[in-house]
Amino acid sequence: MSDAIEYELKGDIAILRANNPPVNALGHAVRSGLIAGLERAESEAKAALIVGGGRTFFAGADIKEFGKPFKEPGLPSVCTRIERCSLPVISAIHGTALGGGLEVALGTHYRIAVSSAKVGLPEVLLGLLPGAGGTQRLPRLIAVERAIEIITTGRQVGAAEALELGIIDEIGEGDIEEIGVAYAQRILAEGKGPRPVGNMPRPTPVDFDAIHQAALTKGRGQIAQATAVRAVEHACNNDIDAGIKLERDMFMALLKSPQSQGMIHAFFNERAVSKLPELKGVEPRDVKAIGVIGGGTMGAGITVAALLAGLDVTMVERDSSAAQAGADRVSGFLQGSVKRGKLTADKYDAIMANGFRASDSYDALSNADLVIEAAFEEMGVKKTIFAKLDRVCKKGAVLASNTSYLDVNEIAASTSRPADVLGLHFFSPAHVMKLLEIVVAADTAPDVVATGFALGKIMRKIAVRSGVCDGFIGNRILKTYRTCADHMVLDGASPFEIDTAMTAFGFAMGPFEVADLAGLDIGWATRKRLAPTRDARERVATYADKMCEAGHFGQKTGQGYYIYEKGKRGGTPDANVTALIEAERRELGITPRAFSQDEIQRRYMCAMVNEAAKVVDEGFARRPLDVDMVLLFGYGFPRHWGGPLKWADLQGLDGILVDIQSYAKEDDFFWQPAQLLERLVAAGKTFDDLNKGDTV
Ligand code: T1G
């Protein structure tokens, strides 16, 4: 017996206990151990119990095995072997039974869980579909529409809902193994034998064509969900063995798809990104009470994110009325969490009574372990604030700025303790967006960097290390691909065509819709800030300045690239913008030309990849995966591509370089090929090779 599955005979019950920490992934040793355990149980027991050791039932197939040579027994055959066991087989579920874990449970004959357990088939979140009978057994066990919803969303289902749906038979309390043994003994006492799900009637067909189309539309380019719908359709038209074979073929096809490679890249790297070798063994400073300077949208959002993470927060504003306004904003955000069921009313009361206070005095920060400044984006304001913090904060307090582009080195220099200063760049709305750029200045101490990452973990953010350059990682790259979009507008594409093209690529919104949402005045201020040092060769679209001069800042003024009508979702393209663009083309002597959707997407993405490669090569991002995680969690990059540099690897870097070189013939200032990209192509390597430690 492999020690990945421990075997223990307890009376008439053979216990097969998973022992593959941390999540009992169904690797080869576990799969072999299950088969061996069943064979032994059939020789000496009257029932078999499958249970997870440690903190959880099986969390699914071992994703680390994907892409490696396949080793029998495969999970589908393990589940079928369980189902055909001559003894009744019971699963006892705690923690999470996900993917192949739930498929193992569906292969058993009876299922019991503790109330805190969760089950699910999240394969679509990896660009896959359940590949070990999940699409065939679940719709036999529960209503087919419910099965499709669970499979195509990949969501986790709590024990109570699982019981109500029929996924599990009972909910028990206490030690999972004791519950499982007692349930198995009861099954025997009641004279119950095996109850194969696969022998249950085929599910009743539903309108699969309509559901398939809806899955394609909702998936915005993703294919796994729609493919899974067709797999469930096979369950309606085939016996279990034939259905499982068809499902496996579909699974293997998806496993080879670029989308699955992209989503598996995202899965592992959203975890790897905050594990920096340089921080190994570096102890973060203790953070329990934090201060937030500023009660505006960002300050209140950061405050709420910290409060929801269990931190004590003191907000400081310039005077008592601003402090009250900030407190009201915090209260409003938290009441929104209560309304959405993310926070109980009692917890809200406790936070507002004990965990939060607003003040107009910096003295209130004298005990803060860490302070985050979220005030007006102007260097003079920041320096004044940090000088005050330097005076009032205790020794060892970490002083952070939420600035989105100002030089953190300069901010640090306005204090007597630059080693305690870093940037913590949150993304708006800060209590919703997962990304946190940890901006490390020249003098920032390693344990202060570690404290930034520890705070990110407490606040359940995806924390990414960034060096200090204009825009750090995300906004610097955004400026480049946004400029590329403006160049295409000057040359003939419309903002609306570009938005359509990039939503077809998989973004939730195109760049001009995003600009309208964020506020056109932000870009306007940036263009004015950079104008004095701008290179004469740089092409800058000025039509947008005319929109801002007319007070059209986007959604907040009801008009930007689009016209927004009260009560109506989305906006309507503004014909005035088209007129402004045409006028600018005439001034520049440009004869507009057509852009296909493919060309728009290709240019946009090449600009993004090229700048990202420079950010990595210059050391502002530690690895290509860091850039991928920034774009995924801060800029709505479609997860099924894994991030811009994973997308580039999947497309082929040589083709991307060729395209950039051809664009450079039109504009060799904007399109300067990244040297890292040239080196990778010359060496026949990928960005992922760099993630694995390769160098070029
Ligand atoms: N395979 C390999 N490693 C895994 C893993 C898995 N399935 N799940 C987690 N890990 C690693 C993870 O990378 C991390 O590693 C450590 O375990 C702790 O994870 C045939 C084909 C279970 C809810 O998609 O959702 O079954 O960083 O930090 O926050 O149809 O892990 O420590 O080195 O996330 O407590 C389907 C994925 C697979 C579940 C626990 N299953 N995992 O969350 O810990 S495909 C999934 C999760 C499949 C079949 C198909 C979460 C969790 P490291 P963690 P956590």
Side-chain angles (χ1 to χ4, degrees), residues 259-317:
Q259 291 194 8
S260 174
Q261 293 174 58
M263 294 173 92
I264 290 169
H265 174 84
F267 174 83
F268 282 120
N269 289 312
E270 64 189 344
R271 290 159 175 82
V273 72
S274 48
K275 291 172 186 156
L276 290 172
E278 70 206 62
L279 295 181
K280 210 165 177 56
V282 179
E283 272 306 301
R285 294 181 189 175
D286 204 22
V287 175
K288 287 197 173 47
I290 73 168
V292 175
I293 305 291
T297 305
M298 281 310 287
I302 294 167
T303 297
V304 166
L307 289 169
L308 292 174
L311 291 167
D312 178 284
V313 183
T314 299
M315 174 188 279
V316 171
E317 256 288 2

Side-chain angles (χ1 to χ4, degrees), residues 22-23 25 55 59-64 66 75 96 98-100 103 122-123 126 130-132 251 267-268 271 275:
V23 297
R55 64 181 167 118
D62 186 340
I63 310 172
K64 295 187 177 82
F66 293 168
L75 198 52
T96 51
L98 298 175
E103 290 173 301
E123 287 85 344
L126 297 172
F251 170 82
F267 174 83
F268 282 120
R271 290 159 175 82
K275 291 172 186 156

Side-chain angles (χ1 to χ4, degrees), residues 53-75:
R55 64 181 167 118
T56 182
F57 196 72
F58 307 106
D62 186 340
I63 310 172
K64 295 187 177 82
E65 284 186 350
F66 293 168
K68 292 178 185 158
F70 176 71
K71 285 162 81 177
E72 291 291 352
L75 198 52

